[in-house]
Amino acid sequence: MEMKFCQSCGMPLTNEVLGTNADGTPNEDYCIYCYKDGKFTQDMTMEQMIDHCAQFTDEINKNSGQNLTVEQMKEQMRQFFPHLKRWKN
């Protein structure tokens, strides 16, 4: 099965963390931290989202087996995020 990622923060999507639509049904594109009840939980720019996600660098490293610095993580996100639905122009 193909791994799906939150189209706002890039977090791997599993059924446990799916966001919700306005009618309460699961949203297949966004995680619960970014999207709840049919709207984004926070109004922010892509760069603000990158800064927000960078605070989880240690946890991401632990889960992925990487050992990236916060700056390296931010650079990866700057490459990846423009391809996500929320940030595409």
Side-chain angles (χ1 to χ4, degrees):
M1 190 178 98
E2 182 188 344
M3 174 62 77
K4 294 179 83 175
F5 298 93
C6 175
Q7 294 297 301
S8 175
C9 72
M11 176 179 166
L13 281 179
T14 61
N15 287 337
E16 297 78 43
V17 296
L18 288 179
T20 54
N21 295 312
D23 63 4
T25 59
N27 183 289
E28 300 283 330
D29 289 329
Y30 300 105
C31 76
I32 190 69
Y33 307 109
C34 290
Y35 201 76
K36 188 170 165 66
D37 300 328
K39 54 186 182 279
F40 290 109
T41 58
Q42 298 176 57
D43 183 26
M44 56 175 58
T45 65
M46 185 178 80
E47 195 59 34
Q48 288 169 321
M49 178 62 80
I50 288 169
D51 287 340
H52 172 75
C53 292
Q55 68 184 323
F56 303 106
T57 297
D58 288 344
E59 187 177 341
I60 294 166
N61 279 336
K62 193 178 89 184
N63 292 335
S64 67
Q66 300 181 99
N67 191 22
L68 298 174
T69 65
V70 170
E71 273 314 308
Q72 288 171 319
M73 187 68 70
K74 284 183 176 185
E75 191 49 44
Q76 277 195 1
M77 288 186 268
R78 286 187 188 108
Q79 301 296 316
F80 182 57
F81 280 25
H83 301 283
L84 299 175
K85 190 181 283 188
R86 184 175 185 185
W87 310 117
K88 273 187 181 171
N89 289 336

